[in-house]
Structure formats: structure tokens, C-alpha cells
Amino acid sequence: MRLPALAVTALLVAALPATALASPNTPAPPNTVAPQNTLAAAESGLHYLQSATNGLNASASASPVPLRRPKGNEDRQQWNVVGDTLQEGGRCLGRSGDQAVLLACDSADARWEVVADGASRVLKVPGQNRYLTTEGEQARVGTRRDTWFLNPVSPTRVAVPQDGSRRLDQVTFLTAHNAYANGVDGGFAPPFVNLAPNQARGVEQQLADGVRAFQLDIHQTPDGAILCHNSCTLVSGPVALNVDLRRLVDFLGRNPSEVVTVFLEDYVSVDVLRAELAKVPGLANVLFRPDQAGVRQNGWPTLDALRASGKRLLIFSDEPGRDSLGAMFQPDWTVENYWSMGAGVGSSDWSCYSRWSTPLTRTEPGFTPLFVMNHFRDVPFTGTATSDNGKLADRARRFCEPAARKTPNYLAVDHYHLGNALSAVAELSRDRFQASTR
């Protein structure tokens, strides 16, 4: 079914009744749109036009129109939906041959038909079988039927259920980047001195302070899987993975309502990891296995369901082939933005784009990957971390949520105790991003 006006399709969810927004897992009916009379009161507004193919946004910063990493409006990514046009700065998204260009808004080549395609939209040349497409980092026009997301700059937000009724993908957790690199629990960096720690408090204190997810680097040595930064050579007093895992398992034993997650940057063999996990008493009693719990078919469990089962520890690895150990291959279960915001001092890059080959917007029928939002620099200077952590919620809402079309489940920071990162967790836990095309 086709709509005559871009504004009608782009603002579909804005005009839906509240009951239709109550369930974020309810998929849009394929190739259908709501009757036009339900959208009569819809208003035009600012949107990002994001490619479903690569997660990049169309930008009016140049003509022909490029695709850029989502970055707010710093390079003119916000388009005003007016009738059947997308306007920016007095010009409109249009076409010239096979190129997407900026044109005068009264040009016939600046008008688009919009076709619903499940949760996304197809921008079609009126009266022709030609569409707005992607070619690398360029917006083009061709016969391939590419799909796009129209994400409102001021999106709809939906309230989350009460604590126990929330699914795991409706919760946001404070996450310590390189949690082991703290200079308190033991050595982590060569040679001998622990330069530029990512955290200033040990793992036990991190747990007490509200950290609920831990990013850990493990390296293979004759002593097993050891927590080190880049290399364990010449590290004084390094800590083994099993030591920190015992801390987490013991914490869960003392706190039966808590849920903890571990993300492994994994440089060890399967056999070494297996031996290391076997050293942790009680691990099997608390380890949650999403592959065995039907998560991909039924979605994530609620917090109450996890508590009732006692399975409240999730372990992910960035290396495949560990699933049989209970360390899930992370790209199968999460999406994650690129880790670096830039150097340790100076201006930072707040754009949010995928660390992996799959886009941040990836979803599957009945299953939403958990979203890991990295928010730290190349070098963890405390002054910079203090400033960055104070802006965590702002970056999440203005840049990362529109890029991923979901609220982060994990906020990963350096020096979590500076800049009040927990306030960002609380803010993002009050409600969740609801994309208009979802």
C-alpha cells in the first residue's frame, strides 16, 4: 500500500493510540499502514533519515547527498517532513538521474512516495519503480528497493513496567569499562607500573557502588586466563579471571535480587577458558544461558523470572565457540557502538555507529539484542572522564538512541565514580525510546 505524503507515513506512530505504543515488541504489520483518517491530526516535524542497510543517516551537508554516522545535527542530519518532501535549510532531498541531491522544494524531483515495509519505509520515485538506495556512504536512486527508518528528533518515550516485571532488555545497567584495571585488586599493565587505570576502585567496591556489568580483558598465560591490558608480560601481581568471577558469584549469593553481566575481550583458547570457569564454585548455579532459555524465540525474561530461577549472571565473549561453556558469542546477542570517543583530552566524537558489521538497529522477530553503549576515550584521564560522564545521558538520548532505535541496556564508562554516571542510569531507566517506525 502506498501513501501519497511522506508526512503521513513518517509520523505513523505519533498518531497511534497510547495502547498501540504500550508493547514495544509488537511488530508493525508487513506492507500495511493505518487508515489515513487516523493520521489527519499528525504534524510534520524533524526526523533523521537512517539507512536500514548500514545504519548511516542521510545528511544535507553536501550535494550529492552523503550518508554520515549519526551525529545529531552537527552535519545537517535533521530533515523536516513537510507534505511529501524532506526539507533542510530551505532545500529538499531530491534526485538527479541516479544521484540523491538537494533541490528546490517546489521541484517535482523533490517529491517522494512512501511505502511501508514492515518496521521501515521505502522512499519511491512517484510513478516509477525507482527508489532511494544506498551505495557505500552515498545516498543514490536506483531500482533496488532499500529501506529506511524515519526517526523523530524528539521521539516518543514509553514508560517501563515495575522493576520485577521488566524484561532484561527494558533495564539499563552501569558498566565498568576495563573493570579489572583499577590498581586496587592487583596489577594490570606492563611494565610493572599500572599506568592510566580505567577505574579507581576494586571490583568489590564497584559492586557496592551499583556497577552491574564488567568489561574484562583476558589473556592467556601459563597461569591460565589472566586480566591484563594488552599484555600480561612484566605485570606485577596480575589477577586471574576466576578471582573476579568468584567475587561476582559471591555477590549474587548475598544479593538474590541482583543481576550481573560480564563482557570478555577474549584472547584465550577454549580449553583455557573452560579450565578457568571450572575454578569458580557455584558458577553453574547462577549462570544464565539465553541459548537454552529460548530467548531468541520468546524474548528476554523478566527480572522476576531470573530471580526465581536463580540464574542471574550473564557472560558474553567477543570470540565465537564458547557457547557450550556458557560464554555467549556477544555479536549474536547484543549490538554495540564503536568504543572510542577520541583522544584522552580535547573534543570528542559523540556519533554512535556499530562496532561490528551488523547495524545498531538489528532486531529479529520476537527478539531484541541488548544494546551496549560505550562512552569513553582512548586514554582514561580523570578530568576528561568526569566531564564525559556528566554528559552520558545527553549523548545517549540525542545520538545513540536514535542511531540504535532503542535505549542502551549497558552504559560503559571509565572512572564510573566521577561525573555521577549512576544518574544517567536512573534517567534512562525511567522510560524507553520508542522509534516512530517500530
Side-chain angles (χ1 to χ4, degrees):
M1 182 182 296
R2 298 174 184 170
L3 289 179
L6 182 59
V8 170
T9 304
L11 299 177
L12 177 60
V13 168
L16 287 174
T19 53
L21 295 174
S23 175
N25 277 343
T26 302
N31 298 315
T32 62
V33 293
Q36 186 168 346
N37 61 3
T38 67
L39 303 171
E43 297 180 357
S44 302
L46 291 175
H47 289 71
Y48 301 105
L49 180 62
Q50 183 179 50
S51 168
T53 302
N54 57 24
L56 302 180
N57 283 348
S59 167
S61 59
S63 184
V65 173
L67 300 176
R68 306 290 197 200
R69 296 170 181 169
K71 201 174 183 181
N73 205 33
E74 293 179 27
D75 52 5
R76 300 171 60 185
Q77 295 182 11
Q78 295 179 0
W79 300 87
N80 194 23
V81 178
V82 180
D84 53 5
T85 64
L86 282 165
Q87 302 184 5
E88 202 286 335
R91 304 188 77 187
C92 280
L93 176 68
R95 54 204 170 268
S96 176
D98 291 339
Q99 292 185 326
V101 297
L102 298 175
L103 296 174
C105 292
D106 59 359
S107 169
D109 288 329
R111 297 177 56 240
W112 299 92
E113 290 183 4
V114 180
V115 182
D117 185 8
S120 56
R121 299 292 178 261
V122 175
L123 275 69
K124 183 179 182 297
V125 177
Q128 302 180 32
N129 289 322
R130 287 165 53 79
Y131 308 91
L132 184 68
T133 67
T134 61
E135 186 176 300
E137 296 186 0
Q138 199 72 36
R140 304 278 294 178
V141 179
T143 57
R144 189 177 68 245
R145 181 183 162 117
D146 280 356
T147 58
W148 302 80
F149 299 120
L150 279 162
N151 294 327
V153 171
S154 298
T156 302
R157 304 195 71 84
V158 294
V160 294
Q162 294 298 314
D163 172 76
S165 300
R166 297 183 193 181
R167 299 186 314 273
L168 195 62
D169 59 325
Q170 295 174 316
V171 185
T172 299
F173 298 100
L174 179 60
T175 304
H177 170 236
N178 287 352
Y180 64 93
N182 54 61
V184 176
D185 294 329
F188 61 88
F192 302 108
V193 293
N194 299 314
L195 296 175
N198 298 94
Q199 308 298 336
R201 301 177 179 181
V203 168
E204 292 277 11
Q205 187 61 50
Q206 292 176 32
L207 286 163
D209 292 342
V211 175
R212 292 295 178 267
F214 302 82
Q215 293 179 332
L216 306 175
D217 295 7
I218 51 174
H219 293 264
Q220 188 163 325
T221 76
D223 296 320
I226 304 299
L227 299 164
C228 300
H229 218 165
N230 299 322
S231 168
C232 294
T233 303
L234 302 181
V235 172
S236 176
V239 177
L241 173 63
N242 77 83
V243 172
D244 273 353
L245 289 181
R246 290 186 191 198
R247 291 180 170 125
L248 304 184
V249 171
D250 290 346
F251 171 82
L252 291 172
R254 298 190 303 268
N255 299 273
S257 66
E258 299 294 344
V259 176
V260 171
T261 304
V262 172
F263 298 98
L264 298 178
E265 187 171 318
D266 193 341
Y267 301 98
V268 306
S269 70
V270 172
D271 289 341
V272 166
L273 182 57
R274 178 184 293 108
E276 197 70 17
L277 298 179
K279 297 175 184 177
V280 184
L283 177 62
N285 296 330
V286 296
L287 186 60
F288 177 70
R289 294 281 301 269
D291 57 333
Q292 296 179 353
V295 168
R296 197 168 294 279
Q297 295 76 33
N298 304 314
W300 295 98
T302 64
L303 294 182
D304 274 352
L306 289 171
R307 291 162 181 160
S309 71
K311 308 292 188 179
R312 294 170 290 118
L313 175 64
L314 291 84
I315 301 179
F316 297 101
S317 169
D318 64 355
E319 283 294 316
R322 279 93 165 111
D323 287 13
S324 63
L325 309 180
M328 301 292 101
F329 183 44
Q330 189 180 340
D332 286 345
W333 300 96
T334 76
V335 293
E336 180 175 337
N337 66 310
Y338 181 67
W339 60 270
S340 175
M341 294 166 61
V345 295
S347 61
S348 62
D349 181 359
W350 277 22
S351 61
C352 258
Y353 57 98
S354 181
R355 179 179 182 177
W356 302 318
S357 59
T358 54
L360 295 178
T361 54
R362 178 173 68 91
T363 58
E364 300 172 20
F367 168 72
T368 300
L370 302 176
F371 176 20
V372 181
M373 177 184 158
N374 294 312
H375 184 79
F376 45 84
R377 308 284 190 109
D378 294 355
V379 181
F381 293 132
T382 55
T384 305
T386 301
S387 175
D388 287 346
N389 291 350
K391 302 170 184 176
L392 178 55
D394 185 36
R395 183 188 180 207
R397 288 198 160 171
R398 288 205 295 134
F399 298 90
C400 293
E401 287 187 332
R405 299 175 70 244
K406 59 179 75 72
T407 297
N409 301 107
Y410 298 94
L411 298 178
V413 299
D414 286 328
H415 295 292
Y416 71 88
H417 67 294
L418 302 176
N420 199 5
L422 269 174
S423 67
V425 172
E427 182 175 338
L428 295 177
S429 295
R430 285 196 293 268
D431 50 35
R432 314 302 284 177
F433 177 94
Q434 176 68 55
S436 64
T437 55
R438 189 167 180 174

